[in-house]
Amino acid sequence: MTKMNRRTFGILSGGLMLSTALPAFAQAGGRVVIGTWGGDYQNLQQINIADSVLKDSGMQVIYDPANDVVRKSKLMAERRLPRGSMDIACLTRQGSYEMYANGLLEELDESKIPALSKVLPFIRVPYGIPHIYTGRVILFNPKEVSPAPTSYNDLWDPKYAGRIGVIDIQYQTTIDPRR
């Protein structure tokens, strides 16, 4: 297997995602609205896709930064409109499955996306083009926490009450199932 770091994989697969979704727009020199997370993620999309892959296409890339919940809500609210407010919606794996289960995403015709065969098998789904994956890890200060936590379940030990921080995008994998 070829060694590849996460950033390179994200850049290449992000290019795959946009290159398969944009040909019709790019040929017309139109615009594409991408629902994205913003911040560094959007900066990487801008630098590695919009500025490099689409630079000479005449394509105008507009970003609509928000979190996954906002994009899912827009997709649900706009489902009956002839055209929604986003051309590409970046979603989490859970979010894309949720939209597929609600009839908002259809299965891909792989014959129209030849490069899809290059997506790693463990992140492939029939209704979306995965373009990045992230390991979920627990960060802790070994001077303050001993023994080291071995699972998310350890975080719900009462001794950690008021001492745990979780960013909003990770709520799906960190909610205590016992409550």
Side-chain angles (χ1 to χ4, degrees), residues 5 61 82 86 110 115 132 134 140 144 146 153 179:
N5 66 35
V61 178
M86 291 178 287
E110 293 193 28
I132 193 167
T134 302
F140 66 96
E144 301 287 329
S146 183
N153 197 45
R179 300 193 200 289

Side-chain angles (χ1 to χ4, degrees), residues 20-149:
T20 59
L22 297 180
F25 293 115
Q27 289 171 5
R31 71 177 203 146
V32 63
V33 178
I34 302 173
T36 184
W37 281 273
D40 288 339
Y41 183 76
Q42 179 179 320
N43 292 342
L44 285 170
Q45 290 173 320
Q46 181 67 40
I47 294 164
N48 296 293
I49 300 167
D51 291 347
S52 61
V53 177
L54 300 174
K55 182 174 73 174
D56 298 325
S57 70
M59 171 65 59
Q60 178 188 17
V61 178
I62 308 293
Y63 296 100
D64 183 5
N67 66 35
D68 195 50
V69 174
V70 172
R71 283 190 294 285
K72 291 187 302 184
S73 298
K74 283 183 180 184
L75 290 170
M76 295 290 286
E78 297 172 347
R79 74 185 316 164
R80 288 184 171 43
L81 296 176
R83 179 169 170 84
S85 61
M86 291 178 287
D87 298 301
I88 296 172
C90 298
L91 299 168
T92 63
R93 185 175 184 100
Q94 297 94 333
S96 63
Y97 175 75
E98 194 177 332
M99 296 299 95
Y100 174 70
N102 279 290
L104 290 156
L105 302 177
E106 49 187 65
E107 291 199 18
L108 300 171
D109 179 349
E110 293 193 28
S111 69
K112 295 179 180 177
I113 314 167
L116 194 57
S117 66
K118 296 182 181 358
V119 173
L120 297 173
F122 73 94
I123 61 172
R124 286 188 71 172
V125 293
Y127 47 81
I129 303 172
H131 67 286
I132 193 167
Y133 71 97
T134 302
R136 298 285 167 102
V137 298
I138 299 170
L139 300 175
F140 66 96
N141 182 341
K143 293 177 185 173
E144 301 287 329
V145 178
S146 183

